[in-house]
Amino acid sequence: MAVEPAKFAAAYWGRAALLSRAAELANPDGFTDLLSPADADELLSRRGLRTPFLRAARNGQVLPTGQYTGSGGAGAEITDQVLDERVLALYADGATLVLQGLHRTWPPLIDFTRELSLTLGQPLQVNAYLTPAGNQGFGTHYDTHDVFVLQVDGHKHWQVHEPVLPEPLERQPWGGRADEVTAVAEGPPALDVVLAPGDALYLPRGWLHSARAQDESSLHLTVGVRALTRYTMVEALLDLAAEDRRLRASLPFGVDVADVDQVEPELTETVEALRDWLLRVDPAAVADRLRARAWPAARPAPIRPLAQAAAISTVDADTRLAPRDGLRWQLRPPSPAPDGAPAPDADGAPGQGEVALHLFDRTITLPGQCALAVRTFLSGGVSRVGDLPGLDDDADRIVLARRLLREAVAVPA
């Protein structure tokens, strides 16, 4: 955006819309390196795209998928493959095409999204909107996630209004407040602009918006930020509260839950029990819940399974490896060692027992004596297998390196 990150975080993030013109961004090529109209055609015609990776909408209505999907032909007898001739008919008739989940299907956006997600510390998604000249795919609405709009091609007229519900949760979509949205949209907009190629627009979740292509077709990207909220933390706390026996207790036999006088004392007891439990809650347990929810939403860099498998068999002491780009990890202290033997330290002191390596999709266990080597490698302190610290000999280092490759933690450098 056109302001420094610190100023953006303090003045705009979650608070206000921000328009950044191409000239302010010093980006003469715009955003065509991420996705161009030719790239969109490639996706729509030659990549075997299936639902839900494409939506179509016209005049505020999402069109049935059967209008643009069908059989993939011989050897691909699926019934939801995108058919390019049907897509052409809809687009020529004024429908907006929405390429969804591009952070999973288009290489430049896979890389871009991963890097931006690490910078923001939030899960991201990317969609592309292709709108014919003079048309509008969706009426005024709000999103339940923050959005960065990147205008790639053509011009689009945006009208933005302040929220009817500030900072809505995912469970609070705009359809439940359609009348309020319509009423606010009839008033003066907070922002009334035409985006040109290379322009960017930030909209916090909840801000109302609508957009219409001008005298030419339009292509823009939306980068959706699936921000974690304090309510996410509340949900984690409620999940953990099931451990408290007082909160699991049944209501009295025969209680009439429609009778306020009968409900009130039970509510008082429940609130007291919940308050007592909250005073004892373990922050580490809450962090584990949040990690399990956030990390799987942002995948690390893709790997090449065939090349990775081939690399496993050729590892020696001189092999150089690198941590998988964008991999989120946490090395936890070991479980107690058997028979009272001293357990290894999570920072690498040798001993018996195991250490737990938490990843975005699973947890793997390793011998405790591997802790120092794993932490040093994942922190970027070493790349040559023979230099992995804390292990007795190269044979142990090679075994660990092969395990890290097999688990897709490491990749050939």
Side-chain angles (χ1 to χ4, degrees):
M1 304 304 288
V3 299
E4 293 296 321
K7 182 177 179 180
F8 175 78
Y12 294 97
W13 176 251
R15 294 178 175 84
L18 175 63
L19 171 65
S20 300
R21 293 297 188 185
E24 299 174 291
L25 297 174
N27 184 19
D29 296 328
F31 304 108
T32 54
D33 58 327
L34 299 178
L35 183 80
S36 68
D39 296 334
D41 262 342
E42 172 81 11
L43 280 164
L44 291 167
S45 61
R46 294 180 177 271
R47 294 300 181 101
L49 209 63
R50 300 175 63 184
T51 56
F53 289 105
L54 179 68
R55 276 192 305 159
R58 184 168 48 219
N59 298 325
Q61 298 295 319
V62 176
L63 304 178
T65 58
Q67 291 191 20
Y68 52 88
T69 61
S71 171
E77 289 83 1
I78 52 178
T79 60
D80 65 344
Q81 197 157 16
V82 171
L83 302 180
D84 43 14
E85 62 275 1
R86 295 189 185 178
V87 170
L88 167 62
L90 290 175
Y91 187 73
D93 197 33
T96 289
L97 307 177
V98 186
L99 291 164
Q100 301 192 131
L102 291 172
H103 57 291
R104 296 288 293 123
T105 60
W106 190 246
L109 285 169
I110 292 173
D111 296 337
F112 169 80
T113 306
R114 181 181 68 256
E115 293 171 7
L116 183 59
S117 178
L118 289 172
T119 299
L120 296 178
Q122 304 282 359
L124 304 180
Q125 64 182 56
V126 180
N127 295 344
Y129 292 75
L130 301 109
T131 304
N135 283 274
Q136 179 177 3
F138 301 91
T140 302
H141 65 285
Y142 67 74
D143 296 315
T144 58
H145 51 268
D146 294 56
V147 168
F148 292 94
V149 177
L150 311 179
Q151 186 69 26
V152 177
D153 188 65
H155 294 73
K156 207 161 195 180
H157 179 206
W158 286 75
Q159 288 195 320
V160 177
H161 294 77
E162 293 192 1
V164 297
L165 177 68
E167 299 182 303
L169 302 172
E170 289 190 10
R171 60 192 291 182
Q172 298 171 313
W174 75 274
R177 291 172 168 78
D179 291 342
E180 294 174 79
V181 168
T182 299
V184 171
E186 292 174 350
L191 195 62
D192 191 332
V193 296
V194 174
L195 295 189
D199 292 346
L201 176 64
Y202 166 70
L203 296 176
R205 56 193 167 106
W207 281 63
L208 311 184
H209 55 275
S210 63
R212 180 178 293 275
Q214 298 301 280
D215 295 335
E216 57 199 332
S217 60
S218 166
L219 166 59
H220 78 262
L221 298 170
T222 64
V223 181
V225 185
R226 309 300 289 264
L228 299 179
T229 67
R230 286 182 176 171
Y231 192 79
T232 309
M233 191 172 291
V234 170
E235 291 175 326
L237 288 168
L238 288 176
D239 286 342
L240 291 168
E243 300 171 3
D244 189 281
R245 182 173 180 177
R246 288 176 67 188
L247 293 171
R248 297 198 309 269
S250 300
L251 295 178
F253 180 79
V255 65
D256 181 358
V257 295
D259 185 337
V260 174
D261 290 336
Q262 294 187 47
V263 167
E264 191 276 334
E266 296 304 317
L267 178 60
T268 299
E269 173 67 19
T270 301
V271 169
E272 181 181 336
L274 181 60
R275 182 175 58 248
D276 291 345
W277 179 83
L278 288 172
L279 293 174
R280 304 190 310 272
V281 69
D282 180 6
V286 177
D288 281 345
R289 294 280 176 148
L290 296 177
R291 171 180 55 78
R293 179 163 177 170
W295 281 16
R299 291 184 60 84
I303 60 168
R304 299 177 180 273
L306 302 185
Q308 190 93 350
I312 293 173
S313 62
T314 61
V315 173
D316 60 27
D318 290 324
T319 298
R320 292 188 178 275
L321 304 177
R324 185 178 179 184
D325 191 26
L327 183 72
R328 302 185 184 196
W329 60 275
Q330 187 178 60
L331 194 64
R332 283 289 186 87
S335 57
D339 301 324
D345 186 275
D347 288 325
Q352 300 182 36
E354 296 177 329
V355 290
L357 179 60
H358 296 283
L359 305 174
F360 72 101
D361 60 343
R362 66 198 185 283
T363 297
I364 63 176
T365 56
L366 296 162
Q369 60 265 32
C370 295
L372 178 59
V374 171
R375 186 179 297 279
T376 304
F377 170 73
L378 288 176
S379 299
V382 65
S383 62
R384 181 177 173 273
V385 170
D387 295 332
L388 290 170
L391 298 172
D392 292 336
D393 52 39
D394 282 347
D396 289 343
R397 297 182 182 96
I398 290 170
V399 169
L400 174 60
R402 288 175 173 166
R403 176 76 186 279
L404 295 178
L405 284 167
R406 183 178 295 275
E407 298 286 358
V409 171
V411 296

Short mmCIF file of all heavy atoms in Angstrom, two decimals, residues 74-115:
data_model
loop_
_atom_site.label_atom_id
_atom_site.label_comp_id
_atom_site.label_asym_id
_atom_site.label_seq_id
_atom_site.Cartn_x
_atom_site.Cartn_y
_atom_site.Cartn_z
N ALA A 74 -13.30 -38.24 -22.46
CA ALA A 74 -12.72 -39.57 -22.29
C ALA A 74 -11.60 -39.55 -21.25
O ALA A 74 -10.72 -38.69 -21.28
CB ALA A 74 -12.16 -40.06 -23.64
N GLY A 75 -11.68 -40.49 -20.33
CA GLY A 75 -10.66 -40.61 -19.29
C GLY A 75 -10.84 -39.64 -18.14
O GLY A 75 -10.05 -39.66 -17.19
N ALA A 76 -11.82 -38.77 -18.21
CA ALA A 76 -12.07 -37.80 -17.13
C ALA A 76 -13.58 -37.64 -16.97
O ALA A 76 -14.13 -36.57 -17.18
CB ALA A 76 -11.41 -36.47 -17.42
N GLU A 77 -14.24 -38.75 -16.65
CA GLU A 77 -15.71 -38.77 -16.64
C GLU A 77 -16.29 -38.12 -15.40
O GLU A 77 -17.20 -38.63 -14.76
CB GLU A 77 -16.22 -40.20 -16.78
CG GLU A 77 -16.01 -40.80 -18.16
CD GLU A 77 -14.60 -41.37 -18.34
OE1 GLU A 77 -13.81 -41.31 -17.38
OE2 GLU A 77 -14.30 -41.87 -19.44
N ILE A 78 -15.74 -36.98 -15.02
CA ILE A 78 -16.31 -36.20 -13.94
C ILE A 78 -17.34 -35.25 -14.53
O ILE A 78 -17.32 -34.96 -15.73
CB ILE A 78 -15.21 -35.42 -13.20
CG1 ILE A 78 -14.36 -34.61 -14.20
CG2 ILE A 78 -14.32 -36.35 -12.40
CD1 ILE A 78 -13.29 -33.78 -13.58
N THR A 79 -18.21 -34.75 -13.71
CA THR A 79 -19.32 -33.96 -14.24
C THR A 79 -19.24 -32.49 -13.88
O THR A 79 -20.16 -31.73 -14.18
CB THR A 79 -20.66 -34.52 -13.73
OG1 THR A 79 -20.67 -34.45 -12.29
CG2 THR A 79 -20.86 -35.95 -14.17
N ASP A 80 -18.14 -32.07 -13.23
CA ASP A 80 -18.07 -30.68 -12.79
C ASP A 80 -16.85 -29.96 -13.35
O ASP A 80 -16.33 -29.05 -12.73
CB ASP A 80 -18.09 -30.60 -11.27
CG ASP A 80 -16.86 -31.23 -10.63
OD1 ASP A 80 -16.14 -31.97 -11.33
OD2 ASP A 80 -16.61 -30.97 -9.43
N GLN A 81 -16.38 -30.39 -14.53
CA GLN A 81 -15.24 -29.72 -15.13
C GLN A 81 -15.72 -28.49 -15.91
O GLN A 81 -16.73 -28.53 -16.60
CB GLN A 81 -14.48 -30.66 -16.06
CG GLN A 81 -13.09 -30.17 -16.40
CD GLN A 81 -12.17 -31.30 -16.83
OE1 GLN A 81 -12.63 -32.40 -17.14
NE2 GLN A 81 -10.87 -31.06 -16.82
N VAL A 82 -14.95 -27.40 -15.81
CA VAL A 82 -15.32 -26.16 -16.48
C VAL A 82 -15.21 -26.34 -17.99
O VAL A 82 -14.20 -26.84 -18.51
CB VAL A 82 -14.40 -25.01 -16.01
CG1 VAL A 82 -14.63 -23.76 -16.85
CG2 VAL A 82 -14.66 -24.72 -14.54
N LEU A 83 -16.26 -25.96 -18.71
CA LEU A 83 -16.31 -26.07 -20.16
C LEU A 83 -16.14 -24.69 -20.77
O LEU A 83 -16.96 -23.79 -20.55
CB LEU A 83 -17.64 -26.69 -20.59
CG LEU A 83 -17.95 -28.08 -20.01
CD1 LEU A 83 -19.30 -28.58 -20.49
CD2 LEU A 83 -16.85 -29.07 -20.35
N ASP A 84 -15.07 -24.51 -21.54
CA ASP A 84 -14.72 -23.18 -22.01
C ASP A 84 -15.76 -22.54 -22.92
O ASP A 84 -16.00 -21.33 -22.86
CB ASP A 84 -13.35 -23.19 -22.70
CG ASP A 84 -13.15 -24.36 -23.63
OD1 ASP A 84 -14.14 -25.04 -23.97
OD2 ASP A 84 -11.99 -24.61 -24.03
N GLU A 85 -16.44 -23.35 -23.75
CA GLU A 85 -17.45 -22.75 -24.64
C GLU A 85 -18.65 -22.24 -23.85
O GLU A 85 -19.25 -21.21 -24.20
CB GLU A 85 -17.91 -23.75 -25.71
CG GLU A 85 -18.59 -25.00 -25.20
CD GLU A 85 -17.60 -26.09 -24.81
OE1 GLU A 85 -16.38 -25.86 -24.94
OE2 GLU A 85 -18.05 -27.17 -24.37
N ARG A 86 -18.98 -22.89 -22.74
CA ARG A 86 -20.08 -22.39 -21.91
C ARG A 86 -19.66 -21.15 -21.12
O ARG A 86 -20.47 -20.23 -20.92
CB ARG A 86 -20.56 -23.49 -20.95
CG ARG A 86 -21.17 -24.69 -21.67
CD ARG A 86 -21.81 -25.63 -20.68
NE ARG A 86 -22.30 -26.83 -21.33
CZ ARG A 86 -22.88 -27.86 -20.71
NH1 ARG A 86 -23.04 -27.80 -19.38
NH2 ARG A 86 -23.29 -28.91 -21.37
N VAL A 87 -18.42 -21.14 -20.70
CA VAL A 87 -17.90 -19.95 -20.02
C VAL A 87 -17.94 -18.76 -20.97
O VAL A 87 -18.33 -17.64 -20.59
CB VAL A 87 -16.46 -20.20 -19.52
CG1 VAL A 87 -15.83 -18.90 -19.05
CG2 VAL A 87 -16.46 -21.22 -18.39
N LEU A 88 -17.54 -18.97 -22.23
CA LEU A 88 -17.59 -17.90 -23.23
C LEU A 88 -19.01 -17.35 -23.37
O LEU A 88 -19.21 -16.13 -23.39
CB LEU A 88 -17.10 -18.44 -24.58
CG LEU A 88 -17.38 -17.55 -25.80
CD1 LEU A 88 -16.67 -16.21 -25.66
CD2 LEU A 88 -16.95 -18.27 -27.09
N ALA A 89 -20.00 -18.25 -23.45
CA ALA A 89 -21.38 -17.80 -23.63
C ALA A 89 -21.84 -16.94 -22.45
O ALA A 89 -22.47 -15.90 -22.64
CB ALA A 89 -22.30 -19.01 -23.81
N LEU A 90 -21.51 -17.35 -21.24
CA LEU A 90 -21.92 -16.58 -20.06
C LEU A 90 -21.21 -15.23 -20.00
O LEU A 90 -21.83 -14.20 -19.72
CB LEU A 90 -21.63 -17.38 -18.79
CG LEU A 90 -22.50 -18.61 -18.54
CD1 LEU A 90 -22.02 -19.35 -17.30
CD2 LEU A 90 -23.96 -18.21 -18.38
N TYR A 91 -19.91 -15.24 -20.26
CA TYR A 91 -19.13 -14.00 -20.19
C TYR A 91 -19.60 -13.01 -21.25
O TYR A 91 -19.76 -11.81 -20.98
CB TYR A 91 -17.65 -14.31 -20.36
CG TYR A 91 -16.74 -13.14 -20.16
CD1 TYR A 91 -16.51 -12.62 -18.90
CD2 TYR A 91 -16.08 -12.55 -21.24
CE1 TYR A 91 -15.66 -11.54 -18.70
CE2 TYR A 91 -15.23 -11.47 -21.07
CZ TYR A 91 -15.02 -10.97 -19.79
OH TYR A 91 -14.18 -9.90 -19.62
N ALA A 92 -19.86 -13.52 -22.46
CA ALA A 92 -20.34 -12.65 -23.53
C ALA A 92 -21.72 -12.08 -23.22
O ALA A 92 -22.10 -11.03 -23.74
CB ALA A 92 -20.36 -13.42 -24.84
N ASP A 93 -22.45 -12.76 -22.35
CA ASP A 93 -23.79 -12.31 -21.98
C ASP A 93 -23.78 -11.44 -20.72
O ASP A 93 -24.83 -11.15 -20.16
CB ASP A 93 -24.70 -13.54 -21.77
CG ASP A 93 -26.17 -13.18 -21.80
OD1 ASP A 93 -26.55 -12.24 -22.55
OD2 ASP A 93 -26.95 -13.82 -21.06
N GLY A 94 -22.58 -11.07 -20.23
CA GLY A 94 -22.49 -10.13 -19.13
C GLY A 94 -22.17 -10.71 -17.77
O GLY A 94 -22.15 -9.97 -16.78
N ALA A 95 -21.90 -12.01 -17.68
CA ALA A 95 -21.63 -12.62 -16.38
C ALA A 95 -20.20 -12.34 -15.92
O ALA A 95 -19.26 -12.33 -16.73
CB ALA A 95 -21.85 -14.13 -16.43
N THR A 96 -20.03 -12.10 -14.63
CA THR A 96 -18.71 -11.98 -14.02
C THR A 96 -18.20 -13.38 -13.69
O THR A 96 -18.94 -14.20 -13.12
CB THR A 96 -18.76 -11.13 -12.75
OG1 THR A 96 -18.98 -9.77 -13.10
CG2 THR A 96 -17.47 -11.22 -11.95
N LEU A 97 -16.95 -13.65 -14.03
CA LEU A 97 -16.32 -14.93 -13.72
C LEU A 97 -15.42 -14.74 -12.51
O LEU A 97 -14.63 -13.79 -12.47
CB LEU A 97 -15.51 -15.43 -14.91
CG LEU A 97 -16.24 -15.51 -16.25
CD1 LEU A 97 -15.28 -15.96 -17.34
CD2 LEU A 97 -17.44 -16.46 -16.16
N VAL A 98 -15.55 -15.62 -11.54
CA VAL A 98 -14.73 -15.55 -10.33
C VAL A 98 -13.86 -16.78 -10.26
O VAL A 98 -14.35 -17.90 -10.05
CB VAL A 98 -15.61 -15.45 -9.06
CG1 VAL A 98 -14.71 -15.22 -7.83
CG2 VAL A 98 -16.63 -14.34 -9.19
N LEU A 99 -12.57 -16.59 -10.48
CA LEU A 99 -11.60 -17.67 -10.30
C LEU A 99 -11.22 -17.72 -8.83
O LEU A 99 -10.60 -16.79 -8.30
CB LEU A 99 -10.37 -17.42 -11.17
CG LEU A 99 -10.58 -17.54 -12.68
CD1 LEU A 99 -9.43 -16.90 -13.44
CD2 LEU A 99 -10.73 -19.00 -13.08
N GLN A 100 -11.59 -18.80 -8.17
CA GLN A 100 -11.43 -18.89 -6.72
C GLN A 100 -10.22 -19.76 -6.34
O GLN A 100 -9.84 -20.65 -7.08
CB GLN A 100 -12.69 -19.49 -6.09
CG GLN A 100 -13.94 -18.68 -6.38
CD GLN A 100 -15.11 -19.11 -5.53
OE1 GLN A 100 -15.78 -18.26 -4.93
NE2 GLN A 100 -15.41 -20.39 -5.47
N GLY A 101 -9.67 -19.47 -5.18
CA GLY A 101 -8.60 -20.30 -4.64
C GLY A 101 -7.33 -20.28 -5.48
O GLY A 101 -6.62 -21.28 -5.55
N LEU A 102 -7.02 -19.13 -6.07
CA LEU A 102 -5.83 -19.05 -6.91
C LEU A 102 -4.54 -19.20 -6.11
O LEU A 102 -3.48 -19.49 -6.68
CB LEU A 102 -5.81 -17.72 -7.67
CG LEU A 102 -6.88 -17.59 -8.77
CD1 LEU A 102 -6.92 -16.18 -9.32
CD2 LEU A 102 -6.64 -18.60 -9.89
N HIS A 103 -4.61 -19.01 -4.81
CA HIS A 103 -3.44 -19.26 -3.96
C HIS A 103 -3.09 -20.74 -3.89
O HIS A 103 -2.06 -21.11 -3.32
CB HIS A 103 -3.71 -18.72 -2.55
CG HIS A 103 -4.91 -19.30 -1.89
ND1 HIS A 103 -6.19 -19.03 -2.31
CD2 HIS A 103 -5.03 -20.16 -0.84
CE1 HIS A 103 -7.05 -19.69 -1.54
NE2 HIS A 103 -6.37 -20.39 -0.65
N ARG A 104 -3.95 -21.58 -4.50
CA ARG A 104 -3.68 -23.02 -4.55
C ARG A 104 -3.47 -23.53 -5.98
O ARG A 104 -3.00 -24.66 -6.16
CB ARG A 104 -4.85 -23.80 -3.92
CG ARG A 104 -5.06 -23.55 -2.46
CD ARG A 104 -3.97 -24.19 -1.60
NE ARG A 104 -4.04 -25.64 -1.66
CZ ARG A 104 -3.05 -26.44 -2.06
NH1 ARG A 104 -1.89 -25.93 -2.41
NH2 ARG A 104 -3.21 -27.75 -2.08
N THR A 105 -3.78 -22.71 -7.00
CA THR A 105 -3.76 -23.24 -8.36
C THR A 105 -2.85 -22.51 -9.33
O THR A 105 -2.52 -23.06 -10.38
CB THR A 105 -5.19 -23.21 -8.96
OG1 THR A 105 -5.67 -21.86 -8.99
CG2 THR A 105 -6.14 -24.08 -8.15
N TRP A 106 -2.43 -21.27 -9.04
CA TRP A 106 -1.64 -20.50 -10.00
C TRP A 106 -0.28 -20.17 -9.39
O TRP A 106 -0.20 -19.45 -8.39
CB TRP A 106 -2.38 -19.23 -10.41
CG TRP A 106 -1.74 -18.52 -11.57
CD1 TRP A 106 -1.14 -17.30 -11.56
CD2 TRP A 106 -1.63 -19.02 -12.90
NE1 TRP A 106 -0.66 -17.00 -12.80
CE2 TRP A 106 -0.94 -18.03 -13.66
CE3 TRP A 106 -2.04 -20.20 -13.54
CZ2 TRP A 106 -0.66 -18.19 -15.01
CZ3 TRP A 106 -1.76 -20.36 -14.89
CH2 TRP A 106 -1.08 -19.36 -15.61
N PRO A 107 0.83 -20.69 -9.95
CA PRO A 107 2.15 -20.59 -9.30
C PRO A 107 2.55 -19.20 -8.82
O PRO A 107 3.00 -19.06 -7.67
CB PRO A 107 3.10 -21.15 -10.37
CG PRO A 107 2.26 -22.15 -11.11
CD PRO A 107 0.88 -21.54 -11.17
N PRO A 108 2.46 -18.13 -9.64
CA PRO A 108 2.88 -16.82 -9.11
C PRO A 108 2.09 -16.40 -7.88
O PRO A 108 2.64 -15.77 -6.96
CB PRO A 108 2.63 -15.87 -10.29
CG PRO A 108 2.68 -16.73 -11.50
CD PRO A 108 2.08 -18.04 -11.07
N LEU A 109 0.80 -16.75 -7.83
CA LEU A 109 -0.01 -16.37 -6.67
C LEU A 109 0.21 -17.31 -5.50
O LEU A 109 0.04 -16.91 -4.34
CB LEU A 109 -1.49 -16.34 -7.07
CG LEU A 109 -1.86 -15.10 -7.89
CD1 LEU A 109 -3.26 -15.23 -8.48
CD2 LEU A 109 -1.76 -13.84 -7.05
N ILE A 110 0.60 -18.54 -5.76
CA ILE A 110 0.98 -19.44 -4.66
C ILE A 110 2.16 -18.84 -3.90
O ILE A 110 2.16 -18.75 -2.67
CB ILE A 110 1.33 -20.84 -5.21
CG1 ILE A 110 0.09 -21.53 -5.76
CG2 ILE A 110 1.98 -21.69 -4.12
CD1 ILE A 110 0.38 -22.84 -6.48
N ASP A 111 3.18 -18.40 -4.64
CA ASP A 111 4.36 -17.83 -4.01
C ASP A 111 4.05 -16.48 -3.35
O ASP A 111 4.47 -16.22 -2.22
CB ASP A 111 5.47 -17.65 -5.06
CG ASP A 111 5.94 -18.98 -5.63
OD1 ASP A 111 5.76 -20.01 -4.96
OD2 ASP A 111 6.48 -18.97 -6.76
N PHE A 112 3.33 -15.63 -4.06
CA PHE A 112 2.98 -14.31 -3.53
C PHE A 112 2.18 -14.43 -2.23
O PHE A 112 2.46 -13.74 -1.24
CB PHE A 112 2.18 -13.55 -4.58
CG PHE A 112 1.53 -12.28 -4.09
CD1 PHE A 112 2.26 -11.11 -3.96
CD2 PHE A 112 0.18 -12.25 -3.77
CE1 PHE A 112 1.67 -9.94 -3.51
CE2 PHE A 112 -0.43 -11.08 -3.33
CZ PHE A 112 0.33 -9.92 -3.19
N THR A 113 1.21 -15.32 -2.22
CA THR A 113 0.35 -15.46 -1.05
C THR A 113 1.13 -16.00 0.14
O THR A 113 0.95 -15.55 1.28
CB THR A 113 -0.83 -16.40 -1.37
OG1 THR A 113 -1.50 -15.93 -2.53
CG2 THR A 113 -1.80 -16.47 -0.21
N ARG A 114 2.01 -16.96 -0.11
CA ARG A 114 2.81 -17.51 0.98
C ARG A 114 3.68 -16.44 1.62
O ARG A 114 3.74 -16.32 2.85
CB ARG A 114 3.68 -18.67 0.46
CG ARG A 114 4.52 -19.32 1.55
CD ARG A 114 5.37 -20.44 1.01
NE ARG A 114 6.42 -19.97 0.11
CZ ARG A 114 6.41 -20.06 -1.19
NH1 ARG A 114 5.38 -20.61 -1.82
NH2 ARG A 114 7.41 -19.62 -1.93
N GLU A 115 4.35 -15.64 0.80
CA GLU A 115 5.23 -14.60 1.34
C GLU A 115 4.44 -13.52 2.08
O GLU A 115 4.83 -13.09 3.16
CB GLU A 115 6.03 -13.98 0.19
CG GLU A 115 7.02 -14.95 -0.45
CD GLU A 115 7.64 -14.41 -1.71
OE1 GLU A 115 7.40 -13.22 -2.03
OE2 GLU A 115 8.36 -15.16 -2.40
#
